[in-house]
Amino acid sequence: MGICYTSLQSPPDPNLKVFSFGDLKSATKSFKSDTLLGQGGFGKVYKGWLDEKTLNPAKSGTGMVVAIKKLNKEGMQGFQEWQVLPLFASLKFSIPLS
């Protein structure tokens, strides 16, 4: 799974998991500074953990490691890119072999 969606969005593919904000908050230890991986034009990226089988939030240091992007609501820089990201991530590419 390369992307997650909050409950405010509809995933373009029924096979994608919808996460609540509470799930994302739990997976990142409430967006604590020790889980911060970096910051970009549209917000911060946090390290989180999900159970590999259920995709529910997991205890810190266990399960599958994921990166969770949180939009900076103070500034709108990159907002359009943030909206386009789910569409781009869901595209499938094929490269012809000759």
Coordinates of all heavy atoms in Angstrom, one line a residue:
M1 N 0.9 -1.2 0.0 CA 0.0 0.0 0.0 C 0.9 1.2 0.0 O 1.7 1.4 0.9 CB -0.9 0.0 1.2 CG -1.8 1.1 1.3 SD -2.9 1.1 2.7 CE -3.3 -0.6 2.8
G2 N 0.8 2.1 -1.0 CA 1.6 3.3 -1.1 C 1.0 4.5 -0.6 O 1.6 5.6 -0.6
I3 N -0.3 4.5 -0.3 CA -1.0 5.8 0.1 C -2.1 5.5 1.1 O -2.6 4.4 1.1 CB -1.5 6.5 -1.2 CG1 -2.0 7.9 -0.8 CG2 -2.6 5.7 -1.8 CD1 -1.2 9.0 -1.4
C4 N -2.4 6.4 1.9 CA -3.5 6.3 2.8 C -4.5 7.4 2.6 O -4.1 8.5 2.0 CB -3.1 6.2 4.2 SG -2.4 7.7 4.9
Y5 N -5.7 7.3 3.0 CA -6.7 8.3 2.9 C -7.3 8.5 4.2 O -7.5 7.6 5.0 CB -7.8 7.8 1.9 CG -7.3 7.8 0.5 CD1 -6.7 6.7 0.0 CD2 -7.5 8.9 -0.3 CE1 -6.2 6.7 -1.3 CE2 -7.1 8.9 -1.6 CZ -6.4 7.8 -2.1 OH -6.0 7.8 -3.4
T6 N -7.7 9.7 4.5 CA -8.5 10.0 5.7 C -10.0 9.8 5.4 O -10.3 9.6 4.3 CB -8.3 11.5 6.2 OG1 -8.9 12.3 5.2 CG2 -6.9 11.8 6.4
S7 N -10.8 9.8 6.4 CA -12.2 9.5 6.2 C -12.9 10.6 5.5 O -14.0 10.5 5.1 CB -12.9 9.2 7.6 OG -12.7 10.3 8.4
L8 N -12.2 11.7 5.2 CA -12.8 12.8 4.5 C -12.7 12.7 3.0 O -13.3 13.4 2.2 CB -12.1 14.2 4.9 CG -12.2 14.6 6.3 CD1 -11.4 15.8 6.6 CD2 -13.7 14.7 6.8
Q9 N -12.0 11.7 2.6 CA -11.8 11.4 1.1 C -12.3 10.1 0.8 O -12.4 9.2 1.6 CB -10.3 11.4 0.8 CG -9.6 12.7 1.1 CD -8.1 12.6 1.0 OE1 -7.5 11.7 1.6 NE2 -7.5 13.3 0.1
S10 N -12.7 9.9 -0.5 CA -13.1 8.6 -1.0 C -11.9 8.0 -1.8 O -11.4 8.7 -2.7 CB -14.3 8.7 -1.9 OG -15.4 9.2 -1.2
P11 N -11.4 6.9 -1.5 CA -10.3 6.3 -2.3 C -10.8 5.9 -3.7 O -12.0 5.5 -3.8 CB -10.0 5.0 -1.5 CG -11.1 4.7 -0.6 CD -11.8 6.0 -0.4
P12 N -10.0 6.2 -4.7 CA -10.4 5.9 -6.0 C -10.4 4.4 -6.3 O -10.9 3.9 -7.3 CB -9.3 6.5 -6.9 CG -8.1 6.6 -6.0 CD -8.6 6.8 -4.6
D13 N -9.9 3.6 -5.4 CA -9.8 2.1 -5.6 C -10.4 1.5 -4.3 O -9.9 1.8 -3.2 CB -8.4 1.7 -5.8 CG -8.2 0.2 -6.1 OD1 -9.0 -0.6 -5.5 OD2 -7.3 -0.1 -6.9
P14 N -11.3 0.6 -4.4 CA -11.9 -0.1 -3.2 C -10.9 -0.9 -2.5 O -11.2 -1.3 -1.3 CB -13.1 -0.9 -3.8 CG -12.8 -1.1 -5.2 CD -12.0 0.1 -5.7
N15 N -9.8 -1.2 -3.0 CA -8.7 -2.0 -2.3 C -7.8 -1.2 -1.4 O -7.0 -1.7 -0.8 CB -7.9 -2.8 -3.3 CG -8.7 -3.8 -4.1 OD1 -9.5 -4.5 -3.5 ND2 -8.5 -3.9 -5.4
L16 N -8.0 0.2 -1.5 CA -7.2 1.0 -0.6 C -7.9 1.2 0.7 O -9.1 1.2 0.9 CB -7.0 2.4 -1.3 CG -6.3 2.4 -2.6 CD1 -6.2 3.8 -3.1 CD2 -4.8 1.9 -2.4
K17 N -7.0 1.3 1.8 CA -7.5 1.4 3.1 C -7.8 2.9 3.5 O -7.1 3.7 3.1 CB -6.4 0.8 4.1 CG -6.6 1.2 5.5 CD -7.5 0.2 6.2 CE -7.4 0.5 7.7 NZ -8.4 0.0 8.5
V18 N -8.9 3.1 4.1 CA -9.3 4.4 4.6 C -8.9 4.5 6.1 O -9.3 3.6 6.9 CB -10.8 4.7 4.4 CG1 -11.1 6.1 5.0 CG2 -11.1 4.7 3.0
F19 N -8.1 5.5 6.5 CA -7.7 5.7 7.9 C -8.4 6.9 8.5 O -8.5 7.9 7.8 CB -6.2 5.9 7.9 CG -5.4 4.7 7.5 CD1 -5.0 4.6 6.2 CD2 -5.0 3.7 8.5 CE1 -4.2 3.5 5.8 CE2 -4.3 2.6 8.1 CZ -3.9 2.5 6.8
S20 N -8.8 6.8 9.7 CA -9.3 7.9 10.4 C -8.1 8.8 10.9 O -7.0 8.3 11.0 CB -10.2 7.5 11.6 OG -9.4 6.9 12.6
F21 N -8.4 10.0 11.3 CA -7.3 10.8 11.8 C -6.9 10.2 13.1 O -5.7 10.2 13.4 CB -7.8 12.3 12.1 CG -6.8 13.2 12.6 CD1 -5.8 13.7 11.7 CD2 -6.7 13.5 13.9 CE1 -4.8 14.5 12.2 CE2 -5.7 14.3 14.4 CZ -4.8 14.8 13.6
G22 N -7.8 9.6 13.9 CA -7.4 9.0 15.1 C -6.4 7.8 14.9 O -5.5 7.7 15.7
D23 N -6.6 7.0 13.9 CA -5.7 6.0 13.5 C -4.3 6.5 13.2 O -3.3 6.0 13.7 CB -6.2 5.2 12.3 CG -7.4 4.3 12.6 OD1 -7.7 4.0 13.7 OD2 -8.0 3.9 11.6
L24 N -4.3 7.6 12.4 CA -3.0 8.2 12.0 C -2.3 8.8 13.3 O -1.1 8.7 13.4 CB -3.2 9.2 11.0 CG -3.8 8.7 9.7 CD1 -4.1 9.9 8.7 CD2 -3.0 7.6 9.0
K25 N -3.1 9.4 14.1 CA -2.5 10.0 15.3 C -2.0 8.9 16.2 O -0.9 9.0 16.8 CB -3.6 10.8 16.1 CG -3.1 11.5 17.3 CD -4.3 12.3 17.9 CE -3.8 13.0 19.1 NZ -4.9 13.8 19.7
S26 N -2.7 7.8 16.4 CA -2.2 6.7 17.2 C -1.0 6.0 16.6 O -0.1 5.7 17.3 CB -3.4 5.6 17.3 OG -3.0 4.5 18.1
A27 N -0.9 5.9 15.3 CA 0.2 5.2 14.6 C 1.5 6.0 14.8 O 2.6 5.5 14.7 CB -0.1 5.0 13.2
T28 N 1.4 7.3 15.0 CA 2.6 8.2 15.1 C 2.8 8.7 16.5 O 3.6 9.6 16.7 CB 2.4 9.5 14.2 OG1 1.2 10.2 14.6 CG2 2.2 9.1 12.7
K29 N 2.2 8.1 17.5 CA 2.4 8.5 18.9 C 2.0 9.9 19.0 O 2.7 10.8 19.6 CB 3.8 8.3 19.4 CG 4.3 6.9 19.3 CD 5.7 6.6 19.9 CE 6.7 7.7 20.0 NZ 8.0 7.4 20.5
S30 N 0.8 10.3 18.5 CA 0.2 11.6 18.6 C 1.1 12.7 17.9 O 1.2 13.8 18.3 CB -0.1 12.0 20.0 OG -1.0 11.2 20.6
F31 N 1.7 12.3 16.8 CA 2.6 13.2 16.0 C 3.7 13.8 16.9 O 4.0 15.0 16.7 CB 1.7 14.3 15.3 CG 0.7 13.7 14.3 CD1 -0.6 13.6 14.7 CD2 1.1 13.2 13.1 CE1 -1.6 13.1 13.8 CE2 0.1 12.7 12.2 CZ -1.2 12.7 12.6
K32 N 4.2 13.0 17.7 CA 5.3 13.4 18.6 C 6.5 13.8 17.8 O 6.8 13.2 16.7 CB 5.7 12.3 19.6 CG 4.6 12.0 20.6 CD 4.7 12.7 21.8 CE 3.6 12.2 22.8 NZ 3.2 13.0 23.8
S33 N 7.3 14.7 18.3 CA 8.5 15.2 17.6 C 9.5 14.1 17.4 O 10.3 14.1 16.4 CB 9.2 16.4 18.4 OG 9.6 15.9 19.7
D34 N 9.6 13.0 18.2 CA 10.5 12.0 18.0 C 10.2 11.1 16.8 O 10.9 10.2 16.4 CB 10.8 11.2 19.3 CG 9.6 10.4 19.8 OD1 8.5 10.8 19.5 OD2 9.8 9.4 20.5
T35 N 8.9 11.2 16.3 CA 8.6 10.5 15.1 C 8.7 11.3 13.8 O 8.4 10.8 12.7 CB 7.1 9.9 15.2 OG1 6.2 11.0 15.3 CG2 7.0 9.0 16.4
L36 N 9.1 12.6 13.9 CA 9.2 13.5 12.8 C 10.3 13.0 11.9 O 11.5 12.9 12.4 CB 9.4 14.9 13.2 CG 9.5 16.0 12.1 CD1 8.1 16.1 11.4 CD2 9.8 17.3 12.7
L37 N 10.0 12.8 10.6 CA 11.1 12.4 9.7 C 11.6 13.6 8.8 O 12.7 13.6 8.4 CB 10.5 11.3 8.7 CG 10.1 10.0 9.3 CD1 9.5 9.1 8.3 CD2 11.4 9.3 9.9
G38 N 10.7 14.5 8.6 CA 11.1 15.7 7.8 C 9.9 16.6 7.5 O 8.8 16.3 8.0
Q39 N 10.2 17.7 6.8 CA 9.2 18.7 6.5 C 9.3 19.1 5.1 O 10.4 19.4 4.6 CB 9.3 19.8 7.5 CG 8.2 20.8 7.4 CD 8.2 21.8 8.5 OE1 8.9 21.6 9.5 NE2 7.4 22.9 8.4
G40 N 8.2 19.2 4.4 CA 8.2 19.7 3.0 C 7.3 20.9 2.9 O 6.9 21.5 3.9
G41 N 7.0 21.3 1.7 CA 6.3 22.5 1.4 C 4.8 22.4 1.8 O 4.2 23.5 2.1
F42 N 4.3 21.3 2.0 CA 2.9 21.2 2.4 C 2.7 20.6 3.8 O 1.6 20.4 4.2 CB 2.0 20.4 1.4 CG 2.5 19.0 1.1 CD1 2.1 18.0 1.9 CD2 3.3 18.8 0.0 CE1 2.5 16.7 1.7 CE2 3.7 17.5 -0.2 CZ 3.3 16.4 0.6
G43 N 3.7 20.3 4.5 CA 3.6 19.8 5.9 C 4.7 18.9 6.3 O 5.8 18.8 5.7
K44 N 4.5 18.2 7.4 CA 5.5 17.4 8.0 C 5.2 15.9 7.7 O 4.1 15.5 7.5 CB 5.5 17.6 9.5 CG 5.9 19.0 9.9 CD 5.8 19.2 11.4 CE 6.2 20.6 11.8 NZ 6.1 20.9 13.2
V45 N 6.3 15.1 7.7 CA 6.2 13.7 7.5 C 6.6 13.0 8.8 O 7.7 13.3 9.3 CB 7.1 13.2 6.3 CG1 7.0 11.7 6.1 CG2 6.7 14.0 5.1
Y46 N 5.8 12.1 9.3 CA 6.0 11.4 10.5 C 6.2 9.9 10.3 O 5.6 9.3 9.4 CB 4.8 11.6 11.5 CG 4.7 13.0 11.9 CD1 3.9 13.9 11.2 CD2 5.3 13.4 13.1 CE1 3.8 15.2 11.6 CE2 5.1 14.7 13.6 CZ 4.4 15.6 12.8 OH 4.3 16.9 13.2
K47 N 7.0 9.2 11.1 CA 7.1 7.8 11.1 C 6.0 7.2 12.0 O 5.7 7.7 13.1 CB 8.5 7.4 11.7 CG 8.8 5.9 11.7 CD 10.2 5.7 12.2 CE 10.6 4.3 12.2 NZ 12.0 4.1 12.7
G48 N 5.4 6.2 11.5 CA 4.3 5.5 12.2 C 4.4 4.0 12.0 O 5.2 3.5 11.3
W49 N 3.6 3.3 12.8 CA 3.6 1.8 12.7 C 2.2 1.3 12.6 O 1.2 1.7 13.2 CB 4.2 1.3 14.0 CG 5.6 1.6 14.2 CD1 6.7 0.8 13.8 CD2 6.2 2.8 14.7 NE1 7.9 1.5 14.1 CE2 7.6 2.7 14.6 CE3 5.7 3.9 15.3 CZ2 8.5 3.7 15.1 CZ3 6.5 4.9 15.7 CH2 7.9 4.8 15.6
L50 N 2.0 0.3 11.7 CA 0.7 -0.4 11.5 C 0.9 -1.9 11.6 O 2.0 -2.4 11.2 CB 0.2 -0.1 10.1 CG -0.1 1.3 9.7 CD1 -0.6 1.4 8.3 CD2 -1.2 1.9 10.6
D51 N -0.1 -2.6 12.1 CA -0.1 -4.0 12.2 C -0.1 -4.5 10.7 O -0.9 -4.1 9.9 CB -1.3 -4.5 12.9 CG -1.3 -6.0 13.0 OD1 -1.8 -6.7 12.0 OD2 -0.9 -6.6 14.0
E52 N 0.8 -5.4 10.4 CA 0.9 -5.9 9.0 C -0.3 -6.6 8.5 O -0.6 -6.6 7.3 CB 2.2 -6.8 8.8 CG 3.5 -6.0 9.0 CD 4.7 -6.8 8.8 OE1 4.7 -7.7 7.9 OE2 5.7 -6.6 9.6
K53 N -1.0 -7.3 9.4 CA -2.2 -8.1 8.9 C -3.5 -7.3 8.9 O -4.2 -7.3 8.0 CB -2.3 -9.3 9.8 CG -1.2 -10.3 9.7 CD -1.4 -11.5 10.5 CE -0.2 -12.4 10.4 NZ -0.3 -13.5 11.3
T54 N -3.7 -6.5 10.0 CA -4.9 -5.7 10.1 C -4.9 -4.3 9.6 O -5.9 -3.7 9.4 CB -5.4 -5.7 11.6 OG1 -4.4 -4.9 12.3 CG2 -5.5 -7.1 12.2
L55 N -3.7 -3.8 9.4 CA -3.4 -2.4 9.1 C -3.9 -1.4 10.1 O -4.1 -0.2 9.9 CB -4.0 -2.0 7.7 CG -3.3 -2.8 6.6 CD1 -4.0 -2.4 5.2 CD2 -1.8 -2.7 6.5
N56 N -4.2 -1.9 11.4 CA -4.5 -1.0 12.5 C -3.3 -0.4 13.1 O -2.2 -1.0 12.9 CB -5.3 -1.8 13.5 CG -6.7 -2.2 13.1 OD1 -7.3 -1.5 12.3 ND2 -7.1 -3.4 13.5
P57 N -3.4 0.7 13.8 CA -2.2 1.3 14.4 C -1.5 0.2 15.3 O -2.2 -0.5 16.0 CB -2.7 2.5 15.2 CG -4.0 2.8 14.5 CD -4.6 1.5 14.0
A58 N -0.2 0.2 15.3 CA 0.5 -0.7 16.1 C 1.4 0.0 17.1 O 1.6 1.2 17.0 CB 1.4 -1.6 15.3
K59 N 1.9 -0.7 18.1 CA 2.7 -0.1 19.1 C 4.0 0.3 18.5 O 4.5 -0.3 17.6 CB 3.0 -1.2 20.2 CG 3.7 -0.7 21.4 CD 3.8 -1.8 22.4 CE 4.6 -1.3 23.6 NZ 4.7 -2.3 24.6
S60 N 4.5 1.5 19.0 CA 5.8 2.0 18.4 C 6.9 1.0 18.4 O 7.1 0.3 19.4 CB 6.2 3.2 19.3 OG 7.4 3.7 18.9
G61 N 7.5 0.8 17.2 CA 8.6 -0.1 17.1 C 8.2 -1.5 16.7 O 9.0 -2.4 16.5
T62 N 6.9 -1.7 16.5 CA 6.4 -3.1 16.1 C 5.6 -2.9 14.8 O 5.0 -1.9 14.5 CB 5.5 -3.7 17.2 OG1 4.3 -2.9 17.4 CG2 6.3 -3.8 18.5
G63 N 5.5 -4.0 14.1 CA 4.7 -4.0 12.9 C 5.4 -3.3 11.7 O 6.6 -3.3 11.6
M64 N 4.6 -2.9 10.8 CA 5.1 -2.3 9.5 C 5.4 -0.8 9.7 O 4.5 -0.1 10.2 CB 4.1 -2.5 8.4 CG 4.4 -1.9 7.1 SD 3.2 -2.3 5.8 CE 1.6 -2.1 6.6
V65 N 6.5 -0.3 9.3 CA 6.8 1.1 9.4 C 6.2 1.8 8.2 O 6.4 1.4 7.1 CB 8.4 1.4 9.5 CG1 8.7 2.8 9.5 CG2 9.0 0.7 10.7
V66 N 5.6 3.0 8.5 CA 5.0 3.8 7.4 C 5.3 5.2 7.6 O 5.7 5.7 8.7 CB 3.4 3.6 7.4 CG1 3.0 2.2 7.0 CG2 2.8 4.0 8.7
A67 N 5.2 6.0 6.5 CA 5.4 7.5 6.6 C 4.0 8.1 6.4 O 3.3 7.7 5.5 CB 6.4 7.9 5.5
I68 N 3.7 9.0 7.3 CA 2.4 9.7 7.3 C 2.6 11.2 7.1 O 3.3 11.8 7.9 CB 1.7 9.4 8.6 CG1 1.4 7.9 8.7 CG2 0.4 10.2 8.7 CD1 0.8 7.4 10.0
K69 N 2.0 11.7 6.1 CA 2.1 13.2 5.8 C 1.0 13.9 6.4 O -0.2 13.5 6.3 CB 2.2 13.4 4.3 CG 3.4 12.8 3.7 CD 3.3 13.1 2.2 CE 4.5 12.4 1.5 NZ 4.6 12.6 0.1
K70 N 1.3 15.0 7.2 CA 0.2 15.8 7.8 C 0.3 17.2 7.2 O 1.3 17.9 7.3 CB 0.5 15.9 9.3 CG -0.6 16.6 10.1 CD -0.3 16.6 11.6 CE -1.4 17.3 12.3 NZ -1.0 17.5 13.7
L71 N -0.8 17.6 6.5 CA -0.9 18.9 5.9 C -0.8 20.0 6.9 O -1.4 20.0 7.9 CB -2.2 19.0 5.1 CG -2.5 20.3 4.4 CD1 -1.5 20.5 3.2 CD2 -3.9 20.4 3.9
N72 N 0.1 21.0 6.5 CA 0.2 22.2 7.3 C -1.0 23.1 7.0 O -1.1 23.7 6.0 CB 1.5 22.9 7.0 CG 1.7 24.2 7.7 OD1 0.9 24.6 8.6 ND2 2.7 25.0 7.4
K73 N -1.9 23.2 8.0 CA -3.1 24.0 7.7 C -2.9 25.5 7.8 O -3.7 26.3 7.5 CB -4.2 23.6 8.7 CG -3.9 23.7 10.1 CD -5.0 23.2 11.0 CE -4.6 23.2 12.5 NZ -5.6 22.6 13.3
E74 N -1.7 25.9 8.3 CA -1.3 27.4 8.4 C -1.0 27.9 7.0 O -1.3 29.1 6.8 CB -0.1 27.5 9.4 CG -0.4 27.0 10.8 CD -1.4 27.8 11.5 OE1 -1.4 29.1 11.4 OE2 -2.3 27.2 12.2
G75 N -0.3 27.2 6.2 CA 0.1 27.6 4.9 C -0.5 26.8 3.8 O -0.8 25.6 4.0
M76 N -0.7 27.4 2.7 CA -1.3 26.6 1.6 C -0.3 26.2 0.5 O -0.7 25.7 -0.5 CB -2.5 27.4 0.9 CG -3.6 27.7 1.9 SD -4.2 26.3 2.8 CE -5.1 25.5 1.4
Q77 N 1.0 26.4 0.8 CA 2.0 26.0 -0.2 C 1.9 24.5 -0.4 O 2.0 23.8 0.6 CB 3.4 26.5 0.3 CG 4.5 26.1 -0.7 CD 5.9 26.4 -0.1 OE1 6.0 26.9 1.0 NE2 6.9 26.1 -0.9
G78 N 1.8 24.1 -1.6 CA 1.8 22.7 -1.9 C 0.5 22.0 -1.8 O 0.3 20.8 -1.9
F79 N -0.6 22.8 -1.5 CA -1.9 22.2 -1.3 C -2.4 21.4 -2.5 O -2.9 20.3 -2.4 CB -2.9 23.2 -0.8 CG -4.3 22.6 -0.5 CD1 -4.5 21.8 0.5 CD2 -5.4 22.9 -1.4 CE1 -5.7 21.2 0.8 CE2 -6.6 22.4 -1.1 CZ -6.8 21.5 0.0
Q80 N -2.2 22.0 -3.7 CA -2.7 21.4 -4.9 C -1.9 20.1 -5.1 O -2.5 19.1 -5.5 CB -2.5 22.3 -6.1 CG -3.5 23.4 -6.1 CD -3.4 24.3 -7.3 OE1 -2.2 24.6 -7.8 NE2 -4.5 24.8 -7.8
E81 N -0.6 20.1 -4.8 CA 0.2 18.9 -5.0 C -0.3 17.8 -4.0 O -0.3 16.6 -4.3 CB 1.7 19.2 -4.7 CG 2.4 20.0 -5.8 CD 2.2 21.5 -5.6 OE1 1.4 21.9 -4.7 OE2 2.8 22.3 -6.3
W82 N -0.6 18.2 -2.8 CA -1.1 17.3 -1.8 C -2.4 16.6 -2.2 O -2.6 15.5 -2.0 CB -1.3 18.0 -0.5 CG -1.8 17.2 0.7 CD1 -1.0 16.3 1.4 CD2 -3.1 17.1 1.2 NE1 -1.8 15.7 2.4 CE2 -3.1 16.2 2.2 CE3 -4.3 17.7 0.8 CZ2 -4.3 15.9 2.9 CZ3 -5.5 17.4 1.5 CH2 -5.4 16.5 2.6
Q83 N -3.3 17.4 -2.9 CA -4.5 16.9 -3.4 C -4.3 15.9 -4.6 O -5.0 14.9 -4.7 CB -5.5 18.0 -3.9 CG -6.1 18.8 -2.7 CD -7.0 19.8 -3.2 OE1 -6.7 20.6 -4.1 NE2 -8.2 19.8 -2.7
V84 N -3.3 16.2 -5.4 CA -3.0 15.4 -6.6 C -2.3 14.1 -6.2 O -2.4 13.1 -6.9 CB -2.2 16.2 -7.6 CG1 -1.7 15.3 -8.7 CG2 -3.0 17.3 -8.2
L85 N -1.6 14.1 -5.1 CA -0.8 12.9 -4.7 C -1.5 11.6 -4.7 O -1.1 10.6 -5.3 CB -0.1 13.2 -3.3 CG 0.8 12.1 -2.8 CD1 2.0 11.9 -3.8 CD2 1.3 12.4 -1.4
P86 N -2.8 11.5 -4.1 CA -3.5 10.2 -4.2 C -3.8 9.7 -5.6 O -3.6 8.6 -5.9 CB -4.8 10.5 -3.4 CG -4.5 11.7 -2.5 CD -3.5 12.5 -3.3
L87 N -4.1 10.7 -6.5 CA -4.3 10.3 -7.9 C -3.1 9.8 -8.5 O -3.1 8.7 -9.1 CB -4.9 11.5 -8.6 CG -5.1 11.3 -10.1 CD1 -6.1 10.2 -10.4 CD2 -5.5 12.6 -10.8
F88 N -2.0 10.5 -8.3 CA -0.7 10.1 -8.9 C -0.3 8.7 -8.4 O 0.2 7.9 -9.1 CB 0.4 11.1 -8.6 CG 1.7 10.8 -9.2 CD1 1.9 10.9 -10.6 CD2 2.7 10.4 -8.4 CE1 3.2 10.6 -11.1 CE2 4.0 10.0 -8.9 CZ 4.2 10.1 -10.3
A89 N -0.4 8.5 -7.1 CA 0.0 7.3 -6.4 C -0.8 6.1 -6.9 O -0.4 4.9 -6.9 CB 0.0 7.4 -4.9
S90 N -2.0 6.3 -7.4 CA -2.9 5.2 -7.8 C -2.7 4.9 -9.3 O -3.3 3.9 -9.7 CB -4.4 5.5 -7.5 OG -4.8 6.6 -8.3
L91 N -2.0 5.7 -10.0 CA -1.8 5.4 -11.4 C -0.9 4.2 -11.6 O 0.0 4.0 -10.8 CB -1.1 6.6 -12.1 CG -1.9 7.9 -12.2 CD1 -1.1 9.0 -12.8 CD2 -3.2 7.7 -13.0
K92 N -1.2 3.4 -12.6 CA -0.4 2.3 -12.9 C 0.4 2.6 -14.2 O -0.1 3.1 -15.1 CB -1.2 1.0 -13.1 CG -2.0 0.6 -11.9 CD -2.7 -0.7 -12.1 CE -3.5 -1.3 -11.0 NZ -3.8 -0.7 -9.9
F93 N 1.7 2.2 -14.1 CA 2.6 2.5 -15.3 C 3.0 1.2 -15.9 O 3.2 0.2 -15.2 CB 3.8 3.2 -14.8 CG 3.6 4.6 -14.3 CD1 3.4 4.8 -12.9 CD2 3.5 5.7 -15.1 CE1 3.1 6.0 -12.4 CE2 3.2 6.9 -14.6 CZ 3.0 7.1 -13.3
S94 N 3.1 1.2 -17.2 CA 3.6 0.0 -17.9 C 4.7 0.4 -18.9 O 4.6 1.5 -19.5 CB 2.5 -0.8 -18.7 OG 2.0 0.0 -19.7
I95 N 5.8 -0.3 -18.9 CA 6.9 0.0 -19.7 C 7.1 -1.1 -20.8 O 7.3 -2.2 -20.4 CB 8.2 0.2 -18.9 CG1 8.0 1.3 -17.9 CG2 9.4 0.5 -19.8 CD1 9.2 1.3 -16.9
P96 N 6.9 -0.8 -22.1 CA 7.0 -1.8 -23.1 C 8.4 -2.3 -23.2 O 9.4 -1.5 -23.1 CB 6.5 -1.1 -24.4 CG 6.6 0.3 -24.1 CD 6.6 0.5 -22.6
L97 N 8.6 -3.6 -23.2 CA 9.9 -4.2 -23.4 C 10.1 -4.6 -24.9 O 9.3 -5.2 -25.5 CB 10.1 -5.5 -22.5 CG 9.9 -5.2 -21.0 CD1 9.9 -6.6 -20.3 CD2 11.0 -4.3 -20.5
S98 N 11.2 -4.1 -25.4 CA 11.4 -4.4 -26.8 C 12.7 -5.2 -27.0 O 13.5 -5.4 -26.2 CB 11.5 -3.2 -27.7 OG 12.2 -2.2 -27.1

